[in-house]
Amino acid sequence: MRWLILALASIPAMALWATLVFVGTANGWLRTALAPPGDTDAFVAAVRERLDAEHNGNGAFRLLQNGDLAGEHYVSVDAPVTADTRFQVASVSKWLTAWGVMTLVESGAVDLDAPVQDYLRRWRLPEGPFDNDGVTVRRLLSHTAGLTDGLGYDGFAPGEALQSLEASLTRAADAMPGADGRVRAGLPPGSEWRYSGGGYTLLQLLIEEVTGQPFAAYLDDAVLTPLGMRRSTFALPGDEVADVATVYDDAGQAAPHYRYTATAAAGLYTTVADLTRFLQAQRPGPDADPAGRGVLRPDTLTLMRQPAARTRGTDVWGLGHMLYTDNDAGGFIIGHDGGNRPAINTTVRFDPASGDGIIVLVTGNRRLASELGGEWVFWRTGRLDIASYADALDRVVVTIAVGWAVIALLFGAIGWRVARRRPVAGGPADDPR
């Protein structure tokens, strides 16, 4: 009975420990910011130091405050990198793709809540156990359409034939390891958030079907050029793009420049200068230019920033971008990270309320840009963003397990000592003398 009591008593202690670890990790109790809060110069200097020490290739960094440039730094191992050097930015492409989709929503050509199949002729979602009519444009934008492709694209090496868009949707030949690669509803649409690169490839087809233009041409006409992003392009698959930062692997060796059929998901080329213009367009301009700069209406931007997907009880996605954490102004810090083979890593994060943001584009390191983006969020808010918290989960699980083991040993030791002190029948305590 005493052992049972001790075992039951240990349960609240274990629950308290797990809660403390989860809350402490999310709030960065044991984490130190790169710079003191509010010290912009110190933060920029810390980022420069990290980039200089860890880049292994080419990199570009910009910090914005109130929509204006507050710091920048460029690193390279070959030709100098500048604000106008093009980088392949991987999944940051999806954020710009979402703007392209929303131009069609604003014009009335696309209904957010219509089945995507209503607009498709060249390819159809395969029949399965779930109703494909639930695969709507809104759910594709927010990764809640029930697609189980798991894509991640590895791309095609120089000289390798690219798939057609339709063939890639059927089964991507360049699916990253572990990805199913088939674009299909493997879960009930709307049932949960699950990241799907294939969903954005489906949106690429949607744009081509509705507009009658190649995806890259429409995005150029409808989004990139009007925003002044003249060094940016969703190049047609196989097209040569000039002035691109050399790709390096994480050992610092020059690597192949992979191309993508799924350009909407992974194939944007852009610069930190153009991405600065993109972030500035998220807010009203200095000359009374409206947020969206006429490409999208301000109310459309507000809609895109509303939570559209949750996981583990947390708002994680809007329409086209992540919701990294609360911005303490009734909204979210928004943006997107990206990673392409072999070691391209990018992050673009922005607070629409303040105009503060960070852009980091790197080749030669698989995690550096995302880590610096997380450091920026923590420096500004004192909290881990959802991406950094997800990265920390393995450590959280280990910490909880170690704590539980210590608690079990402690209560076991208490039980052992209590048992040793218990009088034994026939012993001194039972002696009638």
Side-chain angles (χ1 to χ4, degrees):
M1 180 60 70
R2 292 182 183 182
W3 282 107
L4 177 60
I5 292 171
L6 284 169
L8 293 173
S10 71
I11 293 174
M14 290 181 169
L16 177 60
W17 172 249
T19 300
L20 286 172
V21 172
F22 276 116
V23 172
T25 300
N27 288 280
W29 288 351
L30 299 179
R31 186 184 181 109
T32 301
L34 280 186
D39 191 337
T40 300
D41 290 342
F43 182 81
V44 170
V47 172
R48 286 175 173 168
E49 184 177 346
R50 287 278 307 269
L51 281 169
D52 287 342
E54 301 177 37
H55 64 87
N56 286 336
N58 294 316
F61 153 67
R62 271 194 170 183
L63 186 73
L64 301 182
Q65 288 191 326
N66 300 314
D68 297 323
L69 181 62
E72 60 186 334
H73 189 54
Y74 304 95
V75 293
S76 64
V77 296
D78 46 33
V81 169
T82 72
D84 291 319
T85 300
R86 289 186 172 113
F87 284 76
Q88 193 184 71
V89 295
S91 285
V92 171
S93 308
K94 295 180 177 69
W95 195 359
L96 278 294
T97 295
W99 272 54
V101 172
M102 296 305 291
T103 65
L104 299 176
V105 172
E106 281 194 356
S107 72
V110 168
D111 183 337
L112 269 178
D113 295 309
V116 70
Q117 297 220 121
D118 287 358
Y119 305 99
L120 305 181
R121 297 175 300 280
R122 289 160 44 190
W123 186 84
R124 306 286 291 177
L125 281 162
E127 295 299 322
F130 306 110
D131 185 0
N132 285 332
D133 284 349
V135 181
T136 65
V137 177
R138 186 191 303 270
R139 287 171 174 167
L140 290 170
L141 287 167
S142 59
H143 300 283
T144 58
L147 303 187
T148 51
D149 52 90
L151 294 163
Y153 296 93
D154 269 353
F156 297 90
E160 188 177 359
L162 275 68
Q163 281 184 293
S164 69
L165 188 54
E166 295 87 342
S168 180
L169 287 164
T170 299
R171 187 157 205 157
D174 60 336
M176 68 180 187
D180 178 90
R182 295 172 293 171
V183 178
R184 61 193 179 102
L187 294 169
S191 61
E192 65 179 70
W193 176 86
R194 183 174 292 200
Y195 191 82
S196 167
Y200 273 73
T201 308
L202 194 52
L203 291 171
Q204 180 177 337
L205 178 62
L206 166 76
I207 287 175
E208 293 193 351
E209 296 270 41
V210 171
T211 67
Q213 293 182 254
F215 171 78
Y218 181 77
L219 264 289
D220 186 53
D221 292 344
V223 178
L224 301 177
T225 297
L227 291 179
M229 300 176 68
R230 299 188 182 277
R231 294 276 296 163
S232 301
T233 178
F234 284 93
L236 293 172
D239 281 3
E240 291 296 326
V241 179
D243 305 322
V244 177
T246 304
V247 178
Y248 288 86
D249 63 21
D250 46 14
Q253 300 297 312
H257 177 184
Y258 292 90
R259 299 303 180 89
Y260 295 85
T261 296
T263 52
L268 175 65
Y269 297 85
T270 188
T271 71
V272 291
D274 275 3
L275 287 170
T276 298
R277 296 181 182 96
F278 178 62
L279 293 185
Q280 290 170 333
Q282 310 278 337
R283 304 176 76 233
D287 299 321
D289 296 323
R293 301 298 188 271
V295 174
L296 294 178
R297 297 191 303 262
D299 63 304
T300 298
L301 296 181
T302 299
L303 171 64
M304 294 174 74
R305 295 167 189 162
Q306 299 304 307
R310 291 173 63 83
T311 186
R312 298 188 182 94
T314 301
D315 295 319
V316 295
W317 224 268
L319 300 183
H321 50 65
M322 296 179 72
L323 308 176
Y324 284 97
T325 191
D326 296 346
N327 65 0
D328 299 321
F332 297 89
I333 290 174
I334 64 174
H336 218 297
D337 285 19
N340 276 355
R341 174 161 75 141
I344 292 172
N345 186 217
T346 58
T347 191
V348 184
R349 307 188 188 195
F350 189 65
D351 179 2
S354 67
D356 297 349
I358 187 171
I359 304 164
V360 187
L361 312 178
V362 168
T363 74
N365 190 304
R366 299 173 192 236
R367 293 294 308 157
L368 182 57
S370 294
E371 289 173 1
L372 291 173
E375 293 287 0
W376 174 76
V377 172
F378 185 72
W379 173 67
R380 286 196 71 254
T381 68
R383 296 186 298 275
L384 263 65
D385 61 65
I386 59 168
S388 299
Y389 187 73
D391 289 341
L393 278 181
D394 287 344
R395 295 193 299 274
V396 167
V397 170
V398 171
T399 303
I400 289 173
V402 170
W404 282 355
V406 171
I407 290 169
L409 288 172
L410 177 62
F411 275 82
I414 292 171
W416 181 73
R417 289 179 65 87
V418 169
R420 288 197 64 190
R421 292 177 180 176
R422 181 180 178 183
V424 179
D430 294 315
D431 190 343
R433 293 176 298 175

